[in-house]
Amino acid sequence: MLKRWGLKRKFITFFLALTVPILVISILIYYQTGIVLKKQAVEEATERLNRNEQNLLDVFSTVETMSSYMIYDRNFREMFTATEEEIYQPEYREAMEVIKGYFTFQLISNPYINSISLISKDGHLVEHGEPVKGNESKLDQAAKDANGSAVWSDPYQVTSSWNDDKYVISLSRLINDMNNISEQIGLVRIRLDPTALYNQMEVPSQRGEYFIFSDQGEVILHQDADLIGKQFPDAGLTDWVTEGKEDFFSYQDGDSHYLVVKNQLANTDWFSVTAIDEGKLVADLTNVRVLIGYLIGILLLAGMLFFLLFYHSTIKRVIELTNQTKQVANGDFTASVYVDSDDEIGKLGLRFNKMVKRIQRHIETEYKLKIKQRESELKALQNQINPHFLYNTLDMIRWNARFENAPETGHLIERLSKIFRMNLNNGKTWVRFKEEIEYSQAYLELQKKRLGEQLDYHIEIDHDLKDYYVMKQVIQPLMENSIQHGIKNLPRQGIIRVHCYQRNNQAVIDVMDNGWGFSEAKKNGEEHAGFALKNLHDRISIVFGKPYGLILLDTDEGAAVRLLLPLLNEEKSKELGD
């Protein structure tokens, strides 16, 4: 049954068969997107929570490694164990230079480090970084109680000599003698800037917040620096973070409603918290669903436009071609198909039109054909008169230029006359090499006059080759190709070299230039750079066969081509005919 349907019916059926399933699937995707995106947002928040925890633990590990390094490094041991007299010795000063360089490197590499304090065995103090002061006696005692383990503090306030009061988080650690682990030789305290430390975290997104609580509900890290070191304002959230067992928690902050997930940091009393603004999440989902709706509409519209375009560009043209073939089948040879494209249907239409015209020509009588043939012969005879008239006129203008004392103009007209004389040449195909060289030189002289300093040329021909015969105007297309595609827009002077010589009983013509070369000519938009060369090669190959023709030569600059021709004397040229 499908075979009996017309193209229009098939087209509509296929259109509906493709469009309806796409529409149904798009609607299902539209409604499932909300569920999937909301679930994905919660998973993303949990994943970011884990990544932020890892980032924070990496920071803690880096700082603890710094303090551990001080136990084993000789320079730090020198500083911690030096007496009052030894601090003025060269060994101590050398050790301090190394320590200073180490601290400078750490402060530059880790911008969250605020300052570093070292307290030696006999009580002298070494500080690096931002100068701060604060009551840290409790931290000293906590470090002593830990007996060499790292002790992290909650945020506490210090006074800075550079800025106003600020909060810091610090690591305190006793440094024991590596040879006698029970002997304490000093204490190190590394302070961190909570604001800079927060910037090391991966902030969830504009849909939520990330912060860290202590087990007492005190804010450790938060994007709002004013909350650091203080109790979080929502007591319900604080209680859930420190004591709650539920996986999720919801709380209201002004007009925003948050969905919260938490996790306790390993080996600490701190809690990592991510809060997602459900209102912004729903807004994002709404935007996504609107975009999906637009996408569905665009796809449907694009599909309809595509099918309409396909109908007018293909189906309609096939139907028109079918109607025209019916007209021819009925004996009307005035049928013609309008062709406005070069695709397969357009080519079919062109061939149909050619076929109809060919049939019309076969129907015409022999008498009409002979009349048209004689008219063509008469036009050809008339066209032969024009070159003679043009050549004689140029010769007259050349003499007038000489009489008027304009030798340069006369010289140019003479060159142009030689070119027309060679073109006319009584219809002959073969000329002597010396005549071909004269023609080529005249052509280059005219081009040089037109291009000025942009063009220069050199022509060489072996003396023994001058009286041999060559096909007329084989060198000029090569020179023209160099000028049009090699030297055109060249940022330096273009030079064309022509060398004609005899080798292995063959005539060789090398034409070289210092222009763009074949590949660069194509890059510069010269898409037809090789057409003239191909036509010349085909022209020679048809007359002489292999191995004669055009060869492209490798060259470091510009382009180089070689013509291989047989050596023809006058007798052989006459055998080939005109």
Side-chain angles (χ1 to χ4, degrees):
M1 181 180 69
L2 188 61
K3 294 181 178 179
R4 298 179 182 177
W5 288 5
L7 284 176
K8 289 184 179 179
R9 189 174 181 183
K10 290 180 180 179
F11 172 78
I12 295 174
T13 302
F14 290 152
F15 174 76
L16 294 176
L18 290 174
T19 304
V20 172
I22 292 176
L23 181 61
V24 173
I25 293 173
S26 299
I27 293 174
L28 290 176
I29 293 175
Y30 179 80
Y31 282 107
Q32 289 294 323
T33 302
I35 300 173
V36 173
L37 288 180
K38 187 171 183 178
K39 180 180 178 182
Q40 182 180 357
V42 174
E43 292 176 353
E44 176 187 347
T46 304
E47 182 180 352
R48 287 178 180 270
L49 182 69
N50 295 331
R51 287 202 296 267
N52 283 331
E53 289 178 4
Q54 188 59 50
N55 290 341
L56 190 59
L57 292 175
D58 289 343
V59 170
F60 288 172
S61 176
T62 299
V63 176
E64 291 177 5
T65 301
M66 288 175 56
S67 65
S68 299
Y69 174 75
M70 299 175 189
I71 299 174
Y72 303 100
D73 183 72
R74 179 184 63 82
N75 297 292
F76 281 98
R77 292 202 307 273
E78 180 75 24
M79 177 265 160
F80 283 124
T81 59
T83 63
E84 184 71 25
E85 293 79 13
E86 289 174 340
I87 63 176
Y88 300 102
Q89 299 301 318
E91 292 82 0
Y92 181 85
R93 294 179 180 179
E94 182 180 350
M96 289 304 301
E97 287 297 323
V98 175
I99 292 173
K100 181 179 179 181
Y102 176 75
F103 284 165
T104 300
F105 172 77
Q106 293 295 338
L107 289 172
I108 294 175
S109 303
N110 305 301
Y112 49 80
I113 297 179
N114 172 267
S115 59
I116 303 173
S117 297
L118 303 179
I119 304 174
S120 70
K121 181 178 181 180
D122 65 352
H124 69 269
L125 179 66
V126 174
E127 293 186 305
H128 201 81
E130 183 176 356
V132 296
K133 293 182 180 180
N135 185 4
E136 298 175 323
S137 57
K138 291 183 179 179
L139 301 180
D140 295 341
Q141 185 60 46
K144 292 177 181 179
D145 295 340
N147 195 26
S149 298
V151 177
W152 285 95
S153 73
D154 290 341
Y156 61 93
Q157 195 172 35
V158 295
T159 301
S160 171
S161 298
W162 294 350
N163 301 299
D164 297 332
D165 293 349
K166 62 190 306 180
Y167 281 87
V168 295
I169 301 170
S170 66
L171 174 141
S172 301
R173 184 173 193 171
L174 282 182
I175 303 299
N176 297 324
D177 189 345
M178 62 179 295
N179 298 317
N180 184 4
I181 196 66
S182 62
E183 181 181 356
Q184 301 173 358
I185 61 175
L187 182 144
V188 59
R189 177 166 295 114
I190 303 175
R191 303 177 188 87
L192 308 184
D193 185 339
T195 302
L197 182 59
Y198 184 83
N199 293 332
Q200 297 292 116
M201 305 297 101
E202 183 178 357
V203 179
S205 69
Q206 294 181 351
R207 291 196 301 260
E209 300 176 352
Y210 174 77
F211 42 90
I212 294 178
F213 283 176
S214 70
D215 59 348
Q216 301 299 319
E218 188 178 23
V219 177
I220 307 296
L221 294 179
H222 198 281
Q223 65 180 359
D224 186 357
D226 293 336
L227 292 178
I228 296 175
K230 301 179 179 64
Q231 288 289 319
F232 193 76
D234 191 294
L237 175 61
T238 303
D239 293 340
W240 174 80
V241 170
T242 56
E243 300 177 2
K245 304 298 182 182
E246 298 83 2
D247 293 334
F248 299 98
F249 180 79
S250 296
Y251 85 98
Q252 190 81 18
D253 184 9
D255 295 332
S256 300
H257 188 267
Y258 290 91
L259 178 67
V260 186
V261 293
K262 68 171 181 176
N263 196 13
Q264 185 170 3
L265 289 173
N267 302 320
T268 69
D269 295 330
W270 295 355
F271 293 88
S272 178
V273 181
T274 295
I276 304 172
D277 189 337
E278 291 186 303
K280 291 183 179 180
L281 176 62
V282 171
D284 289 346
L285 295 178
T286 302
N287 293 334
V288 171
R289 294 179 69 182
V290 170
L291 289 176
I292 292 176
Y294 284 145
L295 180 61
I296 294 172
I298 291 172
L299 288 176
L300 291 175
L301 181 60
M304 294 178 64
L305 291 176
F306 170 77
F307 278 103
L308 288 175
L309 179 62
F310 180 75
Y311 174 79
H312 285 281
S313 63
T314 303
I315 304 297
K316 186 177 180 180
R317 293 164 63 198
V318 172
I319 294 174
E320 181 185 358
L321 184 58
T322 302
N323 294 332
Q324 294 298 320
T325 56
K326 290 180 181 179
Q327 188 174 338
V328 173
N330 294 329
D332 184 0
F333 294 100
T334 61
S336 178
V337 176
Y338 175 71
V339 178
D340 59 356
S341 66
D342 195 31
D343 57 7
E344 285 75 6
I345 298 177
K347 292 177 180 178
L348 183 60
L350 287 174
R351 290 166 186 166
F352 173 80
N353 293 338
K354 290 181 180 179
M355 180 191 70
V356 174
K357 291 180 180 178
R358 188 172 297 172
I359 293 174
Q360 287 177 329
R361 284 197 299 269
H362 284 301
I363 293 175
E364 291 178 350
T365 63
E366 184 178 356
Y367 174 77
K368 291 182 178 180
L369 291 176
K370 287 182 178 180
I371 292 296
K372 291 182 178 180
Q373 182 178 1
R374 289 185 179 181
E375 289 177 353
S376 299
E377 291 175 354
L378 180 60
K379 288 182 179 179
L381 181 61
Q382 291 172 346
N383 289 336
Q384 289 181 359
I385 298 173
N386 294 332
H388 286 287
F389 173 76
L390 181 59
Y391 168 70
N392 293 332
T393 301
L394 287 174
D395 193 48
M396 179 191 68
I397 295 172
R398 178 171 64 89
W399 283 105
N400 283 340
R402 288 189 176 184
F403 290 144
E404 294 174 358
N405 196 22
E408 182 66 21
T409 303
H411 178 71
L412 292 175
I413 295 173
E414 183 179 2
R415 293 289 185 184
L416 184 59
S417 297
K418 286 185 178 181
I419 292 176
F420 279 111
R421 180 180 294 177
M422 177 66 77
N423 286 336
L424 185 59
N425 200 27
N426 294 324
K428 292 182 179 180
T429 305
W430 309 97
V431 296
R432 286 185 173 86
F433 257 100
K434 61 183 179 181
E435 296 173 336
E436 178 69 9
I437 291 299
E438 289 178 0
Y439 173 78
S440 301
Q441 188 169 5
Y443 171 78
L444 286 176
E445 278 294 324
L446 290 175
Q447 291 290 356
K448 182 174 175 61
K449 189 65 179 176
R450 180 175 67 88
L451 299 175
E453 293 299 325
Q454 187 180 352
L455 173 66
D456 196 6
Y457 69 90
H458 303 281
I459 300 179
E460 298 178 9
I461 180 171
D462 289 358
H463 181 77
D464 296 337
L465 195 63
K466 289 184 177 181
D467 290 326
Y468 281 99
Y469 281 77
V470 65
M471 187 181 294
K472 182 175 67 175
Q473 297 178 1
V474 294
I475 302 179
Q476 186 271 339
L478 301 179
M479 298 185 300
E480 182 178 0
N481 189 78
S482 292
I483 293 173
Q484 292 296 325
H485 307 296
I487 298 175
K488 184 179 180 181
N489 297 325
L490 194 68
R492 58 181 179 274
Q493 185 184 49
I495 301 175
I496 298 176
R497 292 181 172 85
V498 181
H499 186 196
C500 305
Y501 56 95
Q502 180 180 342
R503 188 185 70 180
N504 298 331
N505 202 31
Q506 293 177 335
V508 182
I509 303 173
D510 289 341
V511 178
M512 299 158 285
D513 64 63
N514 66 337
W516 295 108
F518 292 110
S519 60
E520 289 297 327
K522 289 184 179 180
K523 290 180 183 178
N524 292 334
E526 300 288 345
E527 297 294 339
H528 302 286
F531 289 174
L533 303 184
K534 183 179 184 303
N535 291 339
L536 180 60
H537 175 76
D538 294 342
R539 179 182 171 194
I540 295 172
S541 298
I542 291 171
V543 176
F544 299 115
K546 294 183 178 180
Y548 302 108
L550 190 66
I551 301 173
L552 302 181
L553 303 177
D554 292 332
T555 179
D556 295 333
E557 181 182 47
V561 296
R562 172 172 293 167
L563 273 177
L564 289 181
L565 300 169
L567 286 176
L568 299 178
N569 54 28
E570 184 176 6
E571 186 175 328
K572 288 184 179 179
S573 69
K574 289 181 179 179
E575 291 177 1
L576 291 173
D578 294 330

